[in-house]
């Protein structure tokens, strides 16, 4: 089968190549998925699981991409809950070959049914950003109606989902990002926008929840904005500064079939809009992941037309 492979950790997306790889087998509890669309997250080439298996053994050449939408073509031994021919979407394992390929083998529990009225490209754009936003807001952040949320990178893949879900949950949403992202963030539902290049973050005052996707200096300064009893939720690694009278949580997104169902239902009924910036074929994936100009939103690879 055709797949995008990486062999060199320091090369980043420039080290991606299109190659022929053996088709994977569906092992115990897996389904084999014929990939129709695949999603890739900035930063995954720095994650250890891209390069080694769970025991830390080199597993290169590896196939990146952890988001998938496609059709089940085979069931592994003992697999339950999904059937051959079913449309599915979800999250592939961090330490196995991923979804930038014509086929991927995934544990069935990490996938959910994809309704027939949702395009595969949309399905592939939802798992990481949707689940991360859902888990950060509702599982870790325990957001309540009436609370205020500062959403960093609110025009990006994760931030745009956080903005919409927080707004739907009745929160007051302050988005952040670059100057050019203001209108996008407001269109996704932010009540206000802070331009991180020019505005003073400190002028935001206190908020109940900070959702940080950027980290570094922005993460450090954000800790001081968390009100007493509030929370700093981050996906940018362990926070370097803790809120003085609040909690900090950093987490890695997990697959969850029920939450995928909640997310896709919101897309179907118009409460949630995905944030796709460009769609490219597998043959053009390497160029798409090495753009010559800034792409806003996620890059999705349409593997099968
Ligand atoms: N822990 C987890 O479970 C988890 C899950 C999902 C994602 N992540 C990580 O979270 C990060 C965000 O993912 P994503 O898919 O949302 O990425 P994304 O689509 O690139 O969104 C990030 C947004 O933040 C903006 N931004 C970044 N640095 C900024 C700065 N210094 N000032 C102003 N704006 C800035 C980006 O603008 P530009 O495009 O102009 O830089 C972009 O709009 C990635 O590093 C990803 O690897 C972690």
């Amino acid at each position: 089968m055709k797949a995008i492979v990486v062999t060199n950790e320091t090369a980043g997306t420039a080290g991606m190549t299109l190659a022929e790889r053996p088709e994977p087998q569906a092992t115990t509890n897996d389904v084999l998925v014929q990939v129709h669309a695949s999603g890739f997250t900035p930063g995954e080439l720095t994650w250890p699981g891209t390069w080694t298996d769970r025991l830390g053994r080199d597993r290169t050449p590896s196939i990146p991409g952890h988001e998938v939408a496609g059709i089940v073509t085979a069931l592994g031994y003992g697999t339950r809950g999904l059937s051959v021919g079913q449309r599915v979407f979800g999250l592939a394992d961090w330490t196995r070959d991923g979804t930038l390929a014509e086929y991927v083998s995934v544990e069935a529990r990490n996938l959910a049914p994809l309704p027939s009225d949702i395009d595969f490209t949309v399905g592939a754009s939802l798992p990481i950003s949707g689940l991360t936003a859902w888990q950060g807001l509702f599982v870790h952040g325990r957001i309540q109606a009436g609370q205020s949320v500062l959403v960093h990178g609110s025009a990006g893949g994760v931030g745009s989902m956080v903005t919409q879900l927080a707004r739907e949950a009745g929160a007051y949403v302050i988005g952040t990002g670059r100057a050019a992202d203001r209108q996008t963030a407001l269109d996704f539902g932010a009540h206000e926008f802070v331009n991180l290049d020019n505005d003073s973050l400190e002028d935001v005052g206190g908020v109940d929840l900070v959702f940080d996707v950027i980290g570094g200096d922005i993460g450090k300064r954000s800790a001081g904005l968390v009100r007493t009893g509030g929370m700093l939720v981050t996906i940018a690694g362990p926070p370097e500064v803790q809120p003085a009278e609040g909690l900090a949580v950093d987490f890695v997104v997990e697959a969850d079939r029920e939450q995928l169902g909640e997310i896709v239902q919101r897309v179907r009924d118009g409460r949630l809009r995905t944030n796709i910036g460009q769609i490219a074929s597998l043959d053009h994936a390497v160029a798409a992941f090495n753009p010559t100009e800034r792409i806003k939103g996620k890059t999705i690879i349409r593997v099968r037309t």
Side-chain angles (χ1 to χ4, degrees):
M1 67 171 183
K2 283 200 285 190
I4 299 296
V5 299
V6 288
T7 53
N8 175 354
E9 190 168 350
T10 52
T13 51
M16 291 175 151
T17 51
L18 183 64
E20 273 298 318
R21 298 291 298 151
E23 232 175 73
Q25 303 288 314
T27 58
T28 305
N29 296 333
D30 278 352
V31 290
L32 185 64
V33 179
Q34 181 188 57
V35 180
H36 283 240
S38 164
F40 171 82
T41 300
E44 72 175 68
L45 299 184
T46 65
W47 302 345
T50 301
W51 307 100
T52 60
D53 67 13
R54 288 182 187 188
L55 292 174
R57 293 174 302 209
D58 180 21
R59 66 178 190 85
T60 58
S62 4
I63 301 173
H66 294 288
E67 295 167 293
V68 64
I71 293 179
V72 174
T73 56
L75 305 180
Y77 176 77
T79 300
R80 300 176 53 172
L82 295 175
S83 47
V84 170
Q86 193 166 6
R87 296 173 104 243
V88 290
F89 75 122
L91 208 53
D93 198 301
W94 307 124
T95 53
R96 294 169 73 187
D97 274 343
T99 63
L100 285 171
E102 291 180 294
Y103 290 88
V104 64
S105 193
V106 184
E107 278 190 79
R109 63 181 175 173
N110 295 347
L111 301 173
L114 181 68
S116 58
D117 55 354
I118 300 293
D119 192 77
F120 287 115
T121 53
V122 173
S125 72
L126 297 172
I128 290 192
S129 46
L131 288 172
T132 304
W134 187 278
Q135 290 164 17
L137 281 175
F138 303 128
V139 179
H140 303 293
R142 284 170 261 145
I143 184 80
Q144 303 287 325
Q147 290 188 327
S148 52
V149 186
L150 180 69
V151 183
H152 286 314
S154 53
V158 176
S160 59
M161 290 286 170
V162 177
T163 299
Q164 295 174 87
L165 290 172
R167 178 89 189 232
E168 187 202 342
Y172 185 82
V173 181
I174 305 162
T176 83
R178 302 191 196 276
D181 292 331
R182 173 182 297 274
Q183 196 52 50
T184 309
L186 297 176
D187 290 346
F188 277 117
H191 293 90
E192 294 177 34
F193 182 80
V194 176
N195 166 3
L196 291 173
D197 295 326
N198 284 323
D199 301 342
S200 168
L201 191 53
E202 286 66 27
D203 286 349
V204 166
V207 292
D208 298 301
L209 183 82
V210 174
F211 200 122
D212 185 21
V213 309
I214 298 174
D217 185 51
I218 301 290
K220 282 193 224 165
R221 288 163 56 202
S222 299
L225 302 176
V226 175
R227 283 188 186 134
T228 302
M231 197 171 286
L232 168 66
V233 173
T234 177
I235 56 168
E240 295 174 58
V241 177
Q242 300 279 327
E245 295 186 58
L247 290 175
V249 176
D250 77 291
F251 75 100
V252 175
V253 62
E254 290 177 2
D256 188 297
R257 183 178 289 171
E258 199 181 323
Q259 291 171 8
L260 284 170
E262 293 279 355
I263 290 160
V264 81
Q265 184 52 42
R266 280 167 173 71
V267 174
R268 293 181 85 189
D269 62 29
R271 280 178 289 166
L272 199 56
R273 191 158 53 86
T274 192
N275 188 4
I276 297 177
Q278 66 169 337
I279 298 174
S281 67
L282 195 57
D283 287 344
H284 295 106
V286 175
F289 291 128
N290 291 282
T292 50
E293 57 191 45
R294 182 178 180 234
I295 304 290
K296 283 195 202 176
K298 283 182 77 76
T299 293
I300 296 298
I301 304 305
R302 193 197 297 275
V303 176
R304 219 179 160 82
T305 48

